[in-house]
Amino acid sequence: MNICGENEYLRRAMAAGAREYLVKPFSSNELADTIRRVNESTKRRLSLMGLQSLASPRIKIQKGKIITLFCSKGGVGKTTMACNLAIGLAQSTKKKVALVDLDLQGGDISVMLNINAKGTIADLAQESDAMDMGLIDSYLVPHLSGAKILPAPLSPEQAELINLERVEELLHILQENFDYIVIDTSPFNLAALDAANQILILVTQDLPCVKHVKTNLDILATLGHSDKVKLIVNCAGIESGIKITDLEKSFNTAAFAVIPWDDKVVRSAINKGLPAVMNQANSKVGQSLLDLTAKLAGSPPKSDGKNTEEIPRRSIIGRLFSF
């Protein structure tokens, strides 16, 4: 082991705003305890600084509604859904919507929406001027739907330039100036989870994802966020997948929404840089996403709700849910 290299890595992480570290291998309980300690420490520090309103999501003095999409497993369609929800909200509600890419080491929202970003959240975080809406707006990229986009850093190492306090300040200002803020976040971004009014956890019909989501739910419960969580079954209908009713039993909660799988529609939307809610709104995927958007906005669904009921579902051995 290169001790000098390890020490330099830890030094750089702490300089970037890291508050704790874990040594592999570690258990889910150790991870949950560490996140809870960091969360409580941050709230105490902000309270002493006179910023308790930023640290506590239960003091709801801001205007906007923050919707954070979250799952510690990659490949579940989180970024695709974040883009569709933000664009869908902007189109259907005609209200002010911001889409923030807080997947700081590998965010793809710019690619998904085919936008060229002159500046990113990393550049914004390094501004010496006090953060206000005028400064933030200079970094927001307008989308033809009416939504505004704040892209992720262009390279992974730039994530080190963004600390927790800067993100909390950003979200606080956005809440005062937008009706909806949709966040695509990397695993356990405390600022995005604390500030959220709703946390959408995505799950797919495969066992590795189920395992991740179980751990995610336990950690969110430890952080006191269980009341915010909504379970979204994404890419549903794959024949070999776990039965949706079994997923709901495993998590002891009903799915808030079920989004069907349609590889042709999804890939076409990604490659064209136009979300399904814009480009293929009449497809089953597009209708399901619009229905989810309507639920989040508190409006009646656009479709008759039959699409998700017609998705084929097949079960696997029940013992897979015994962990």
Side-chain angles (χ1 to χ4, degrees):
M1 179 183 293
N2 186 340
I3 301 298
C4 292
E6 290 288 335
N7 289 339
E8 175 62 16
Y9 180 83
L10 287 174
R11 185 194 68 77
R12 292 174 64 189
M14 293 299 178
R19 298 287 179 260
E20 268 282 6
Y21 68 92
L22 290 168
V23 178
K24 292 184 177 180
F26 52 83
S27 68
S28 60
N29 287 336
E30 290 174 318
L31 176 60
D33 288 342
T34 302
I35 291 174
R36 184 177 62 251
R37 285 199 306 274
V38 172
N39 187 49
E40 291 172 351
S41 174
T42 299
K43 288 181 178 180
R44 286 195 299 272
R45 185 172 68 256
L46 292 174
S47 179
L48 291 174
M49 294 169 59
L51 296 173
Q52 181 62 37
S53 62
L54 296 184
S56 175
R58 289 174 174 79
I59 303 177
K60 297 180 179 178
I61 61 173
Q62 298 91 349
K63 175 187 177 185
K65 179 179 181 181
I66 292 183
I67 302 167
T68 297
L69 283 83
F70 169 63
C71 185
S72 61
K73 184 180 184 303
V76 298
K78 182 166 57 67
T79 300
T80 299
M81 185 168 293
C83 292
N84 276 279
L85 292 183
I87 301 311
L89 284 167
Q91 291 186 134
S92 63
T93 67
K94 307 301 180 185
K95 293 183 178 180
K96 298 177 68 176
V97 178
L99 173 58
V100 182
D101 196 341
L102 282 181
D103 189 348
L104 300 178
Q105 293 185 325
D108 289 324
I109 282 178
S110 294
V111 176
M112 292 280 191
L113 295 179
N114 192 26
I115 60 175
N116 294 317
K118 295 180 180 179
T120 71
I121 189 174
D123 302 305
L124 173 60
Q126 294 305 294
E127 287 278 0
S128 58
D129 296 339
M131 191 176 291
D132 58 23
M133 192 56 222
L135 177 62
I136 294 170
D137 197 48
S138 68
Y139 284 92
L140 294 175
V141 181
H143 187 265
L144 57 88
S145 65
K148 290 193 174 183
I149 320 299
L150 183 58
L154 297 177
S155 56
E157 62 270 17
Q158 290 182 328
E160 297 180 5
L161 303 174
I162 307 162
N163 60 41
L164 177 66
E165 288 82 1
R166 204 63 165 160
V167 174
E168 287 171 328
E169 189 178 5
L170 165 68
L171 296 180
H172 178 72
I173 295 171
L174 288 176
Q175 272 195 299
E176 292 182 328
N177 291 275
F178 285 84
D179 299 291
Y180 295 98
I181 303 96
V182 178
I183 302 176
D184 179 15
T185 186
S186 54
F188 305 114
N189 184 310
L190 291 180
L193 296 175
D194 279 350
N197 299 97
Q198 291 188 324
I199 300 172
L200 307 185
I201 289 194
L202 274 65
V203 61
T204 52
Q205 294 170 279
D206 60 272
L207 191 58
C209 189
V210 171
K211 179 177 180 294
H212 274 265
V213 171
K214 276 183 170 289
T215 302
N216 296 167
L217 291 172
D218 290 342
I219 292 173
L220 289 172
T222 300
L223 295 173
H225 296 325
S226 294
D227 59 329
K228 304 177 181 180
V229 172
K230 298 286 188 294
L231 185 70
I232 311 295
V233 181
N234 198 30
C235 306
I238 298 175
E239 290 189 0
S240 59
I242 299 169
K243 193 175 179 181
I244 293 176
T245 53
D246 287 340
L247 288 177
E248 293 175 324
K249 289 178 183 177
S250 178
F251 301 129
N252 193 31
T253 186
F256 186 70
V258 177
I259 310 300
W261 170 250
D262 189 326
D263 184 69
K264 183 178 179 180
V265 169
V266 172
R267 289 187 184 277
S268 173
I270 292 173
N271 290 333
K272 291 178 180 178
L274 290 172
V277 294
M278 291 185 71
N279 192 43
Q280 303 190 63
N282 291 326
S283 66
K284 288 186 177 182
V285 174
Q287 283 295 312
S288 296
L289 287 166
L290 287 172
D291 285 351
L292 174 55
T293 299
K295 289 181 73 173
L296 293 171
S299 305
K302 301 293 184 182
S303 71
D304 58 10
K306 293 182 179 179
N307 288 342
T308 56
E309 296 300 321
E310 294 171 358
I311 298 168
R313 304 172 183 176
R314 298 179 67 182
S315 180
I316 63 173
I317 301 173
R319 63 180 175 82
L320 293 177
F321 295 96
S322 63
F323 54 84

